[in-house]
Amino acid sequence: MSFNEIMNSVTLYALVGAGILFILIFCGVTFIKAYRHGIEIGLTKDQLRTAIVSSAVYTIVPSISIVIGLFSLSAVIGVPWSWFRLSVVGAVTYELMAADMAATGAGYESIAALNAAGDPSVIGTIMFVMSIGIMAGIILILFFGKRIQAGVVSARNKHGVVGALLTGVLSLAIIEAFLPLQMMKGPVYLAVVCTSCVITLIQMFIVKKFKIHWYRNFIMAVTLLLGMMSSLIWVQILG
Amino acid sequence: MDEKYYKSIHRIGRIGLIIGIAFMLGIPAVTCTVFNVWPKSVAEVMTVGAGLLAVFIPTATAEVFAYTPVLGSSAYITFLTGNVSNLKLPVVINAQTLTDTTQGTDEGDTIAAIGVAVSSIVTTLIIVAGVILMVPLKPVLTSPAVQTATTYLLPSLFGGIFLSYMSEDCGEYIAKNKPLTIVIPTLLVFAVNAFYPLSGKEGFAVIACMALNVVCAYALYKAGIIKMIPKASLKKDAAKAAK
């Protein structure tokens, strides 16, 4: 069998299907556990619904960009393995890089050249390299996840008001590290950042003015969509 | 935090990760056995993989220590399903902001777990739809306009979520002027990135910013600029005013 035939085989589809089913079960079990606990500790149904709806709605647009990655990746390593890789840990840039390194290690110019040659002998190497190369984060979280969270909770509990403040400012680091990098990538990036910020402000004003609190769940998703669409105009003006 | 739930959610997370690892290695192993395409040796896999490991071990280490304090118990699903900075972190921040909860508290951690679980289910189902509808969707989603728009997903995301970080909510307290904490770390990231590009090293930048945040917030609190007001006292004041 050729490279493409194995990488698009029914066997691989079945194995990947089982893997995807497991991901859904794992998420479902965690969700039920957390939801029940939320009720127990006094979170209101409204708060829980807000968390569910806002997360689901916000996720749609970035997920479509993952599907676009699936199309590019499946052209070189077949559909099922691309499907699994992009559902578990991977991002398309990493997956292409890993597959390419495995192909060049086997003496081919690129993963595309390997695909064209149809050589199945390096399939095992490619699949294992792609899995092992990105496993570090998962293994670390397995050993340190609980300890890190325990550290944050204990710092918060032990140090009273100061502990609440100092653990409360940790998440600000995400925006401090990511926003400047995006703003400095070029004028179109900067314009998109500013546009998204203004779009959010307008929506927050509308929510307040017309008291449509249900709409708060959609602010992030609408901002993301309109911000990305604005890039088409900014590319024409500044690109 | 409820000790029983805390232990149980971490146990579920760890078991999930171990099964996830089994699938990540098991699928290649079964494929190799069925089609007789095993690598020639472990050395071959390690030789090819060494370059990747050299790049990804430091990055993954930084990301685990940078993002777990924000993700809490949702870190297990997050690191298994990936797309951490462009999807799971914003989901957690957004859900916590909308529900007035904070990480480090039982409520905030529960909301994070719900948000990440829902988000992962939605992503998985959308990818399934992408696989099923690959033929009709491909021309639309690979059109130049959609390709351009998706290039600008991250600036759009961080521009939009920026205002969520301006919240003064701090668990059982309102931290007046808390957003001032971001000024010095943000300016430093701008300055460092101008001379030493930080792209691809975001995990390290987040860890450095977390340390700076603690120093800045403590200094601002000691200087009396950040004021911690218990929410309970605000509620009492509001009740008095209503009377």
Side-chain angles (χ1 to χ4, degrees):
Chain A
M1 284 178 96
S2 73
F3 181 88
N4 264 330
E5 283 168 339
I6 295 175
M7 294 308 274
N8 288 301
S9 61
V10 177
T11 310
L12 198 47
Y13 266 107
L15 291 168
V16 167
I20 301 300
L21 187 64
F22 158 70
I23 297 288
L24 289 172
I25 292 170
F26 180 30
C27 294
V29 169
T30 306
F31 171 77
I32 292 167
K33 183 94 194 158
Y35 188 91
R36 284 183 183 157
H37 181 64
I39 299 281
E40 276 169 22
I41 60 173
L43 286 169
T44 63
K45 289 236 164 129
D46 195 39
Q47 280 177 305
L48 296 168
R49 200 180 310 116
T50 297
I52 295 166
V53 174
S54 67
S55 303
V57 172
Y58 166 71
T59 301
I60 294 169
V61 176
S63 299
I64 290 172
S65 79
I66 299 171
V67 172
I68 295 169
L70 171 79
F71 295 155
S72 6
L73 197 58
S74 61
V76 284
I77 60 164
V79 177
W81 188 236
S82 308
W83 174 22
F84 183 72
R85 295 303 317 169
L86 294 178
S87 302
V88 180
V89 194
V92 72
T93 42
Y94 162 80
E95 304 300 343
L96 280 173
M97 196 201 315
D100 216 55
M101 282 175 88
T104 50
Y108 288 91
E109 198 182 312
S110 64
I111 182 68
L114 167 66
N115 183 295
D119 178 8
S121 68
V122 284
I123 285 176
T125 309
I126 289 177
M127 292 175 85
F128 276 111
V129 165
M130 289 172 84
S131 286
I132 293 167
I134 205 150
M135 222 176 256
I138 301 181
I139 292 171
L140 283 169
I141 205 75
L142 194 60
F143 290 106
F144 296 108
K146 195 174 176 184
R147 283 185 214 177
I148 296 171
Q149 200 197 355
V152 174
V153 173
S154 124
R156 188 181 179 92
N157 294 341
K158 269 187 193 165
H159 303 287
V161 180
V162 177
L165 174 64
L166 300 188
T167 53
V169 295
L170 290 179
S171 63
L172 298 177
I174 306 292
I175 200 79
E176 293 159 359
F178 281 93
L179 191 62
L181 302 195
Q182 293 302 322
M183 292 171 83
M184 292 172 82
K185 272 189 175 173
V188 178
Y189 283 83
L190 180 60
V192 172
V193 165
C194 297
T195 308
S196 298
C197 205
V198 171
I199 291 168
T200 309
L201 270 175
I202 293 170
Q203 291 176 95
M204 284 165 78
F205 172 77
I206 292 171
V207 167
K208 209 171 173 183
K209 177 88 179 165
F210 299 101
K211 294 189 171 53
I212 43 173
H213 295 292
W214 58 267
Y215 183 77
R216 292 198 318 156
N217 295 339
F218 299 89
I219 290 180
M220 275 289 292
V222 171
T223 301
L224 197 56
L225 200 60
L226 294 181
M228 286 164 69
M229 283 166 68
S230 79
S231 71
L232 300 175
I233 299 165
W234 291 120
V235 164
Q236 296 297 321
I237 300 168
L238 306 164
Chain B
M1 194 170 267
D2 182 339
E3 194 64 22
K4 194 178 157 204
Y5 168 75
Y6 178 72
K7 278 185 181 166
S8 160
I9 198 85
H10 279 277
R11 189 169 52 243
I12 291 171
R14 283 171 168 174
I15 293 170
L17 279 195
I18 291 167
I19 300 174
I21 291 171
F23 270 106
M24 287 169 79
L25 296 175
I27 293 176
V30 174
T31 308
C32 287
T33 307
V34 171
F35 297 103
N36 195 24
V37 287
W38 277 96
K40 289 183 190 81
S41 63
V42 175
E44 183 189 325
V45 175
M46 292 320 289
T47 309
V48 177
L52 278 174
L53 290 172
V55 174
F56 282 98
I57 287 179
T59 315
T61 308
E63 287 182 349
V64 165
F65 287 96
Y67 302 151
T68 308
V70 181
L71 293 164
S73 64
S74 68
Y76 298 101
I77 295 184
T78 299
F79 280 94
L80 183 64
T81 55
N83 294 292
V84 184
S85 57
N86 63 335
L87 191 46
K88 305 298 166 28
L89 280 171
V91 157
V92 168
I93 303 287
N94 189 42
Q96 288 178 342
T97 306
L98 291 176
T99 53
D100 293 326
T101 55
T102 313
Q103 191 50 276
T105 63
D106 206 356
E107 292 79 5
D109 190 60
T110 307
I111 290 292
I114 291 172
V116 167
V118 168
S119 171
S120 301
I121 291 170
V122 171
T123 301
T124 307
L125 293 178
I126 288 178
I127 300 177
V128 171
V131 170
I132 295 167
L133 302 171
M134 190 172 270
V135 175
L137 278 181
K138 201 168 182 176
V140 181
L141 294 182
T142 52
S143 66
V146 176
Q147 297 275 10
T148 304
T150 50
T151 308
Y152 295 98
L153 189 145
L154 281 182
S156 180
L157 160 67
F158 286 107
I161 205 169
F162 171 70
L163 293 168
S164 298
Y165 285 87
M166 296 299 107
S167 161
E168 293 182 326
D169 197 279
C170 206
E172 59 273 42
Y173 299 93
I174 291 293
K176 281 272 172 206
N177 298 325
K178 183 181 99 173
L180 289 176
T181 310
I182 75 164
V183 176
I184 291 174
T186 306
L187 290 176
L188 270 172
V189 172
F190 270 117
V192 172
N193 190 50
F195 297 102
Y196 179 77
L198 292 168
S199 187
K201 304 175 187 75
E202 287 89 350
F204 297 100
V206 169
I207 291 179
C209 287
M210 277 182 172
L212 271 171
N213 283 344
V214 168
V215 174
C216 292
Y218 188 71
L220 289 168
Y221 176 72
K222 282 290 171 190
I225 297 169
I226 291 182
K227 290 187 174 68
M228 297 293 278
I229 305 161
K231 280 182 185 170
S233 73
L234 286 176
K235 278 180 191 163
K236 275 182 195 167
D237 291 347
K240 270 183 194 170
K243 280 178 188 174

